Amino acid sequence: MTDADMTADLRRYLQEAREALVWKLEGLGEYDIRRPVVPTGTNLLGLIKHMAGVEAGYLGETFGRTFPEELSWMGDAAEDNADMWATPEESRDAIVDLYRRVWAHSETTITEVPLDATGRVAWWPADRNVVTLHRILLHLIAETHRHAGHADIVRELIDGAAGLRAGNENLPSGEAGWWAGYRDRVEQAARTA
């Protein structure tokens, strides 16, 4: 496998996770994309805002390509978790558009920086903050997919919608009755154990 093939694979896995995360907003109103559905406040639009900041850092600053827009919620003076929710002034379109601009900035890094080139993650401990682009891409793919998984659960809690991504739900095609029976069997197994 050539470096170009490896880069293409990494790029594809990252893009699939990005798109899955954004897809979870489809068909929902403003309240539902913003509302916290678990005690820690996790919400769909906040996950996208968070990932915009995370990706801007990892594929920007780490390799000397600082993202050109200020992300105030990522600064030292920002309140804890400011990147995990959207204020009423921050629109869905603005956050999703920002995330897409981050993708474009990241794509330039992925295209111009060799996989074995090193960068420095300023917010990681000094004993492990010198990294290669390859390592950061793996880390970012894992983190983006992790948050896409959070979005899967949040979306299912909001309206029951589930699935991997548009065009590939990756779930058995059971109807509501089948799913209710399945859930009951899983519940019974848990109680019996």
Side-chain angles (χ1 to χ4, degrees):
M1 177 176 272
T2 67
D3 279 358
D5 293 337
M6 193 177 320
T7 300
D9 282 349
L10 294 167
R11 179 181 278 123
R12 180 176 55 86
Y13 278 97
L14 179 57
Q15 189 59 34
E16 286 175 358
R18 291 166 171 159
E19 290 171 4
L21 194 54
V22 171
W23 177 55
K24 292 299 175 175
L25 299 178
E26 282 187 24
L28 293 177
E30 286 301 311
Y31 174 71
D32 283 333
I33 65 170
R34 296 166 181 270
R35 71 178 169 122
V37 297
V38 296
T40 56
T42 302
N43 63 90
L44 294 171
L45 193 57
L47 288 169
I48 293 170
K49 181 179 173 182
H50 170 71
M51 285 311 304
V54 166
E55 185 170 325
Y58 281 127
L59 290 175
E61 180 183 335
T62 297
F63 295 97
R65 298 193 66 255
T66 302
F67 185 68
E69 299 174 46
E70 180 186 357
L71 306 178
S72 61
W73 61 86
M74 298 299 288
D76 292 337
E79 69 177 76
D80 288 344
N81 276 3
D83 64 324
M84 296 297 293
W85 63 284
T87 67
E89 298 77 32
E90 295 171 323
S91 73
R92 169 198 321 235
D93 289 344
I95 290 173
V96 171
D97 289 346
L98 169 67
Y99 193 30
R100 291 176 196 265
R101 289 191 305 279
V102 168
W103 299 355
H105 187 261
S106 296
E107 287 302 314
T108 301
T109 301
I110 295 167
T111 299
E112 293 181 0
V113 176
L115 288 176
D116 61 352
T118 58
R120 183 177 161 275
V121 182
W123 53 95
W124 284 11
D127 64 330
R128 61 182 183 93
N129 70 1
V130 175
V131 296
T132 62
L133 176 61
H134 181 258
R135 180 171 178 206
I136 286 303
L137 282 170
L138 290 173
H139 179 83
L140 188 59
I141 289 165
E143 184 157 354
T144 308
H145 276 280
R146 178 175 186 247
H147 288 310
H150 293 143
D152 288 340
I153 298 298
V154 169
R155 179 65 190 254
E156 189 172 354
L157 289 169
I158 289 170
D159 69 355
L164 181 63
R165 63 182 172 270
N168 181 8
E169 287 74 27
N170 200 32
L171 294 168
S173 60
E175 298 192 16
W178 183 90
W179 282 107
Y182 169 78
R183 189 203 176 283
D184 289 345
R185 285 191 309 280
V186 173
E187 176 68 25
Q188 186 57 46
R191 290 183 183 280
T192 301

